[in-house]
């Protein structure tokens, strides 16, 4: 196909800003360079332009207050940007970029992925008719510009906060969010489903899936492309190639080289000057001569595409997608031209438009940062310096990494695997210490699990570190490749339980339920960071079967650590009593034990002295401990930060089978409620979940027949 073009069908008389005389009665040229008043100028210099077009492109002055955004101020919905000129669209992109930087500086959140797709977002919303046309943002962490342009600008300052905008696209939040996301690599499957539904229902809207080169490393993306090539429905896939495949991290030296063969194939493609020249030629021919030149251009284009084979990058075409690219993803003119062209084709089938962007584009501190400022806390816009709180303790993630390094120092069979999450799992530290023994497999949790199974089957000791919610994606592999074969893979499940701002997509609610139902799996959870270190040591010794341990997002509680951070293995299947009492027993599983301790303290003021136990193991259960708690107390309450079907269910099952529920014992299981809990502050989430110390205390009081006191707590 020729990338040609009569650029953007302009109808300037309809331009929204020209039809808004109150605000913009002045000449349109005003928007080419936006002059800040002396008052808003960073240095008080009269007439300093805070957003301006220079020879090399648009520049934003981030040194002072948020610059004026006169054009963006006229855009509430995509319909308002239909008639903007190419120049206006560029200006809109610059203003949008400023809006996002200044807003995220105040809230924290995902920054650089959004900055990288500003031009793409503007071009998509200019050309396509959302919400009828569907845009599906893969992962969705780059959707901030989309949210701003689709009626949510005034709420951007609430993003990721309790009752505020979600950090990812969410169908409940806006009709413009065609598909919810958070986990990666789903956009092509969902887009294909929508395209086929459209065909069956006799509609004619466009479907556009936007997927990053990182998300493109997952198997599901290929499964979807393979199917798209076969079904031949009209579907547009935009591959956003910014050369960052794994989640970058600021915890170590900087981003790692992108993993996987796809990334090098894409690089080769972009590096081919011959290919690019041909593309340019095709473009300029059609631009100069107009639509009549299609045939010529198509030939040049076909030849150019032939080049792809020479560079070994025909993968997309072999899967049946029509490949267009590479395109400069920051050139709105080109993007608009191509989108219009593809949109006007009657039956293009599945098309893949490969765009090249820079993560953090247009914000110098992000461009320069080792991690491109992927995920940030509040920061100073001038310098990009983040206001990170000094915490007295490290994160659970770091204690895990530290403990694993200690085990690996004395056991050269230990290897570590993560799925594009070196920073998030702490394994970057391990990688630094043992570069040969650490594997970043890309966003490919299924592969990570079976790869670990392969390593285990040859006698190595793999630790597979995957967030609780992401491991859901590798579940069949956990069952079929690991547990069924009783292979000793150790699963370190970070972000277990509620996770705060990331919300329900990232909430580790289900791992206890999905792991503890497996016949061979040993399932454990530490109640604090010292326990975590011991559990890493325990896992290292379990050689005859798989095991897993879960730990939460956030920091340790300040527990005294074992010498040199080297753990001592626990006896498998044994819990411990933390506090002896009577009448009431509280049995916590995992880090929620801290809330149980808080509850026990509160209960003292009601003259109640419960026994408090830390289960440590969900499987095998410490049946001696549970039997004791059940027979020596009137009330037994289990508490866990996980869904129904987890620890409490296993305890109840054991108690019922052993007849211990046939007598006077009152048993209650406190678990996460049977609904998804929205993003928000961790304390708010805990309140909503009903698992705080107060809630535990209230449960005890009402079971003891003291409902008034219980109510007073609420
Ligand atoms: C299934 C799954 N695994 C891991 C992640 C964590 N994660 C979020 S963004 C990201 C990198 C995505 O890279 P890419 O798609 O190229 O987007 P970019 O951030 O570079 O714009 C990862 C690994 C996830 N969201 N989903």
């Amino acid at each position: 196909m020729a990338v040609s073009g009569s650029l953007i069908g302009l109808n300037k008389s309809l331009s929204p800003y020209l039809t808004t005389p109150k605000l913009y009665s002045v000449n349109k040229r005003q928007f080419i360079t936006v002059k800040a008043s002396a008052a808003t100028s960073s240095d008080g210099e009269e007439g300093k332009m805070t957003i301006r077009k220079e020879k090399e492109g648009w520049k934003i002055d981030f040194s002072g207050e948020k610059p004026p955004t006169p054009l963006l101020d006229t855009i509430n919905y995509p319909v308002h940007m239909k008639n903007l000129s190419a120049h206006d669209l560029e200006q809109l992109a610059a203003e949008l970029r400023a809006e996002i930087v200044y807003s995220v500086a105040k809230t924290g959140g995902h920054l650089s992925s959004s900055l990288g797709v500003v031009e793409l977002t503007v071009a998509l919303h200019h050309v396509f008719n959302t919400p009828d046309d569907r845009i599906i943002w893969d992962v969705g962490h780059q959707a901030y510009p989309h949210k701003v342009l689709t009626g949510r600008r005034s709420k951007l300052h609430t993003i990721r906060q309790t009752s505020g905008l979600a950090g990812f696209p969410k169908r409940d939040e806006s009709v413009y969010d065609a598909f919810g996301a958070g986990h990666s690599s789903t956009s092509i499957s969902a887009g294909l489903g929508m395209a086929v539904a459209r065909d069956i229902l006799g509609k004619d809207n466009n479907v556009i899936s936007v997927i990053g080169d990182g998300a493109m490393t997952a198997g599901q993306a290929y499964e979807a492309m393979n199917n798209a090539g076969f079904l031949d429905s009209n579907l547009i896939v935009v591959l956003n190639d910014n050369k960052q495949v794994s989640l970058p991290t600021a915890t170590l030296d900087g981003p790692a080289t992108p993993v996987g063969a796809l990334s090098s194939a894409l690089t080769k493609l972009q590096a081919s000057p011959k290919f690019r020249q041909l593309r340019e030629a095709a473009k300029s021919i059609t631009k100069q001569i107009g639509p009549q030149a299609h045939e010529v251009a198509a030939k040049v284009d076909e030849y150019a595409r032939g080049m792809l084979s020479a560079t070994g990058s025909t993968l997309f075409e072999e899967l049946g997608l029509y490949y267009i690219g590479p395109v400069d993803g920051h050139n709105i003119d080109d993007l608009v031209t191509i989108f219009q062209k593809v949109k006007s084709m009657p039956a293009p089938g599945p098309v893949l438009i490969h765009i090249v962007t820079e993560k953090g584009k247009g914000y110098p501190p992000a461009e320069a940062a080792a991690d491109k400022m992927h995920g940030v806390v509040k920061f100073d816009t001038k310098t990009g310096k983040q206001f990170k709180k000094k915490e007295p303790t490290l994160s659970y993630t770091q204690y895990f990494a530290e403990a694993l390094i200690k085990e690996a120092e004395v056991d050269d069979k230990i290897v570590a695997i993560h799925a594009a999450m070196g920073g998030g799992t702490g394994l970057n530290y391990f990688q630094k210490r043992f570069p040969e023994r650490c594997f970043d497999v890309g966003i490919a949790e299924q592969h990570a699990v079976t790869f670990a199974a392969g390593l285990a089957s040859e006698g190595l000791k793999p630790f597979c570190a995957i967030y609780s919610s992401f491991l859901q994606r590798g579940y069949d592999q956990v069952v079929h490749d690991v547990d069924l074969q009783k292979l000793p893979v150790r699963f370190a499940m970070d972000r277990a339980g509620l996770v705060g701002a990331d919300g329900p997509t990232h909430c580790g609610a289900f791992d206890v339920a999905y792991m503890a139902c497996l016949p061979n799996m040993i399932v454990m959870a530490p109640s604090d960071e010292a326990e975590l270190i011991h559990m890493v040591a325990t896992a290292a010794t379990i050689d005859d079967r798989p095991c897993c341990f879960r730990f939460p997002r956030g920091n340790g509680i300040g527990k005294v650590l074992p010498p040199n951070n080297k753990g001592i293995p626990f006896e498998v299947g044994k819990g411990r009593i933390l506090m002896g009492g009577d009448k009431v027993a509280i049995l916590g599983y995992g880090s929620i034990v801290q809330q149980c301790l808080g509850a026990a303290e509160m209960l003292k003021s009601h003259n109640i002295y419960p026994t408090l136990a830390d289960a440590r193991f969900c499987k095998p259960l410490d049946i001696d401990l549970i039997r004791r708690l059940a027979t020596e107390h009137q009330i037994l309450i289990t508490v866990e930060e996980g869904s129904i079907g987890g620890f409490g269910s296993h305890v109840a099952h054991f108690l019922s089978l052993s007849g211990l529920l046939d007598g006077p014992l009152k048993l209650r299981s406190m678990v996460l409620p049977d609904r998804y809990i929205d993003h928000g502050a961790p304390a708010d989430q805990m309140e909503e979940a009903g698992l705080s110390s107060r809630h535990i205390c209230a449960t005890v009081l009402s079971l003891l027949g003291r409902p008034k006191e219980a109510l007073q707590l609420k």
Side-chain angles (χ1 to χ4, degrees):
M1 189 200 68
V3 265
S4 84
S6 58
L7 175 74
I8 321 171
L10 291 178
N11 181 354
K12 290 199 170 96
S13 64
L14 292 176
S15 179
Y17 57 84
L18 290 178
T19 55
T20 323
K22 246 197 256 160
L23 281 173
Y24 300 105
S25 54
V26 285
N27 188 306
K28 167 177 178 298
R29 298 286 302 166
Q30 177 185 348
F31 301 117
I32 294 173
T33 53
V34 179
K35 290 194 172 205
S37 68
T40 54
S41 160
S42 58
D43 51 8
E45 186 191 311
E46 182 73 34
K48 184 177 161 70
M49 289 172 286
T50 48
I51 297 183
R52 60 195 178 272
K53 187 167 189 178
E54 292 183 352
K55 230 176 166 185
E56 324 79 66
W58 286 80
K59 287 275 170 318
I60 303 165
D61 180 357
F62 290 104
S63 63
E65 291 298 300
K66 190 180 136 192
T69 50
L71 186 49
L72 180 60
D73 295 347
T74 68
I75 312 286
N76 280 332
Y77 289 96
V79 69
H80 301 136
M81 49 190 287
K82 292 298 163 199
N83 296 298
L84 298 188
S85 70
H87 180 278
D88 295 338
L89 291 174
E90 282 180 11
Q91 179 174 333
L92 178 62
E95 293 182 9
L96 190 49
R97 184 164 273 127
E99 177 79 11
I100 284 162
V101 170
Y102 277 86
S103 189
V104 177
K106 290 206 182 104
T107 59
H110 288 110
L111 178 69
S112 54
S113 300
S114 280
L115 296 179
V117 298
V118 163
E119 286 80 10
L120 173 67
T121 310
V122 167
L124 284 172
H125 278 299
H126 175 71
V127 173
F128 293 101
N129 295 321
T130 55
D132 287 347
D133 287 342
R134 317 281 194 226
I135 303 178
I136 303 142
W137 298 96
D138 206 288
V139 184
H141 60 317
Q142 76 289 57
Y144 293 21
H146 161 81
K147 293 201 178 206
V148 171
L149 294 179
T150 53
R152 286 168 278 180
R153 183 185 182 192
S154 63
K155 289 194 191 142
L156 192 63
H157 69 282
T158 68
I159 201 157
R160 291 161 61 85
Q161 295 159 34
T162 308
S163 309
L165 288 184
F168 303 100
K170 200 173 171 198
R171 282 167 61 85
D172 288 348
E173 188 178 286
S174 168
V175 68
Y176 289 90
D177 289 0
F179 202 72
H183 288 202
S184 82
S185 320
T186 58
S187 63
I188 308 180
S189 299
L192 184 60
M194 290 179 196
V196 169
R198 170 204 57 208
D199 298 344
I200 290 174
L201 298 171
K203 299 193 207 159
D204 65 352
N205 59 292
N206 294 284
V207 180
I208 305 109
S209 301
V210 181
I211 181 165
D213 53 337
M216 193 59 116
T217 58
Q220 184 172 0
Y222 294 91
E223 294 169 25
M225 284 193 287
N226 183 40
N227 195 212
F230 173 73
L231 292 174
D232 209 32
S233 245
N234 295 341
L235 170 71
I236 300 167
V237 178
V238 177
L239 169 60
N240 177 27
D241 177 6
N242 61 17
K243 302 219 163 32
Q244 229 177 41
V245 166
S246 294
L247 205 56
T249 168
T251 51
L252 279 179
D253 301 335
T257 318
V259 296
L262 170 69
S263 177
S264 49
L266 293 176
T267 306
K268 260 195 250 162
L269 195 60
Q270 287 169 46
S272 160
K274 223 169 169 187
F275 173 79
R276 285 216 304 265
Q277 278 164 18
L278 282 166
R279 283 266 144 181
E280 282 307 309
K283 226 159 70 174
S284 62
I285 287 170
T286 36
K287 270 189 180 170
Q288 280 162 25
I289 317 174
Q292 293 80 3
H294 276 176
E295 245 175 66
V296 184
K299 282 218 173 92
V300 178
D301 186 62
E302 203 181 298
Y303 179 50
R305 295 197 302 116
M307 288 284 302
L308 295 175
S309 310
T311 57
S313 303
T314 54
L315 175 68
F316 303 115
E317 288 173 308
E318 277 163 18
L319 288 171
L321 281 86
Y322 190 100
Y323 175 90
I324 300 169
V327 179
D328 176 356
H330 298 301
N331 185 327
I332 294 197
D333 190 351
D334 282 0
L335 291 175
V336 166
T337 305
I338 289 165
F339 292 149
Q340 286 186 330
K341 214 71 210 155
V342 173
K343 188 182 167 189
S344 68
M345 288 166 77
V351 174
L352 184 133
I353 305 170
H354 172 193
I355 70 166
V356 179
T357 62
E358 188 186 344
K359 203 160 170 167
K361 174 78 176 174
Y363 182 49
E367 287 176 7
D371 69 338
K372 299 278 178 194
M373 297 180 74
H374 174 91
V376 291
V377 295
K378 296 175 189 176
F379 62 92
D380 172 30
T381 43
K382 186 171 174 185
T383 58
K385 197 170 173 337
Q386 296 181 48
F387 305 125
K388 286 192 177 149
K389 270 195 246 147
K390 279 247 172 310
E391 299 284 355
T393 59
L394 301 178
S395 65
Y396 274 90
T397 304
Q398 283 166 299
Y399 291 116
F400 157 68
E402 180 68 16
L404 187 59
I405 289 168
K406 293 297 168 201
E407 294 305 319
E409 278 171 355
V410 293
D411 188 342
D412 62 6
K413 288 218 166 76
I414 288 179
V415 290
I417 303 110
H418 66 90
M421 296 297 286
T425 60
L427 285 186
N428 275 357
Y429 294 103
F430 188 93
Q431 160 90 32
K432 203 164 184 197
R433 181 76 176 76
F434 303 107
E436 308 299 321
R437 291 157 64 184
C438 187
F439 302 91
D440 175 358
V441 300
I443 311 180
E445 288 81 5
Q446 308 174 354
H447 163 62
V449 173
T450 307
F451 174 64
L455 292 166
S457 68
E458 293 295 325
L460 291 181
K461 297 183 170 180
F463 276 74
C464 202
I466 299 182
Y467 288 8
S468 162
S469 72
F470 296 156
L471 189 56
Q472 290 160 194
R473 186 160 287 188
Y475 188 56
D476 181 59
Q477 287 73 7
V478 171
V479 179
H480 178 269
D481 300 334
V482 175
D483 197 67
L484 179 59
Q485 304 193 81
K486 226 178 167 194
L487 286 167
V489 175
R490 291 89 175 152
F491 293 99
M493 301 180 297
D494 201 330
R495 306 310 195 264
L498 299 163
V499 292
D502 278 331
T505 56
H506 288 54
C507 176
F510 310 115
D511 59 90
V512 188
Y514 71 60
M515 285 304 214
C517 63
L518 301 179
N520 291 319
M521 190 69 71
I522 290 175
V523 183
M524 45 191 166
S527 55
D528 59 44
E529 65 270 39
E531 290 278 301
L532 171 59
I533 291 172
H534 294 311
M535 269 179 201
V536 174
T538 310
T541 63
I542 300 173
D543 263 334
D544 62 340
R545 62 186 58 224
C547 69
C548 65
F549 49 97
R550 68 176 337 229
F551 49 97
R553 179 170 202 238
N555 285 53
I557 59 157
K559 204 73 194 188
V560 178
L561 302 175
N564 204 20
N565 290 343
K566 173 85 175 70
I568 299 163
F570 290 140
E571 185 182 344
V572 170
K574 285 285 158 211
R576 59 175 178 154
I577 302 258
L578 293 174
M579 203 183 265
D582 61 5
K583 282 194 191 152
V584 177
I586 304 174
L587 175 58
Y589 178 67
S591 58
I592 201 78
V593 164
Q594 301 312 321
Q595 298 287 344
C596 300
L597 278 162
E601 272 309 306
M602 293 170 92
L603 285 167
K604 282 185 191 164
S605 63
H606 297 267
N607 252 330
I608 300 163
Y609 297 89
T611 296
L612 178 59
D614 170 3
R616 279 184 179 154
F617 291 84
C618 174
K619 191 166 193 177
L621 278 179
D622 185 344
I623 49 170
D624 295 336
L625 174 70
I626 294 167
R627 194 187 301 276
R628 218 181 111 193
L629 296 177
T631 51
E632 293 175 8
H633 301 80
Q634 300 163 12
I635 292 167
L636 172 58
I637 300 176
T638 64
V639 193
E640 69 199 288
E641 207 175 320
S643 71
I644 187 167
F647 175 71
S649 304
H650 284 262
V651 172
H653 187 68
F654 162 72
L655 289 174
S656 70
L657 284 184
S658 51
L660 290 164
L661 289 184
D662 303 347
L665 181 71
K666 288 184 184 173
L667 174 74
R668 294 292 181 276
S669 314
M670 295 184 74
V671 297
L672 288 174
D674 193 19
R675 61 173 185 275
Y676 293 98
I677 293 184
D678 271 342
H679 60 278
D684 292 344
Q685 289 189 330
M686 193 56 99
E687 278 300 309
E688 196 190 332
L691 291 176
S692 69
S693 296
R694 262 186 334 105
H695 290 97
I696 300 166
C697 186
T699 306
V700 171
L701 286 167
S702 41
L703 282 169
L704 285 170
R706 293 157 68 170
K708 266 196 198 150
E709 287 166 77
L711 276 174
Q712 273 160 9
L713 283 169
K714 300 232 172 184

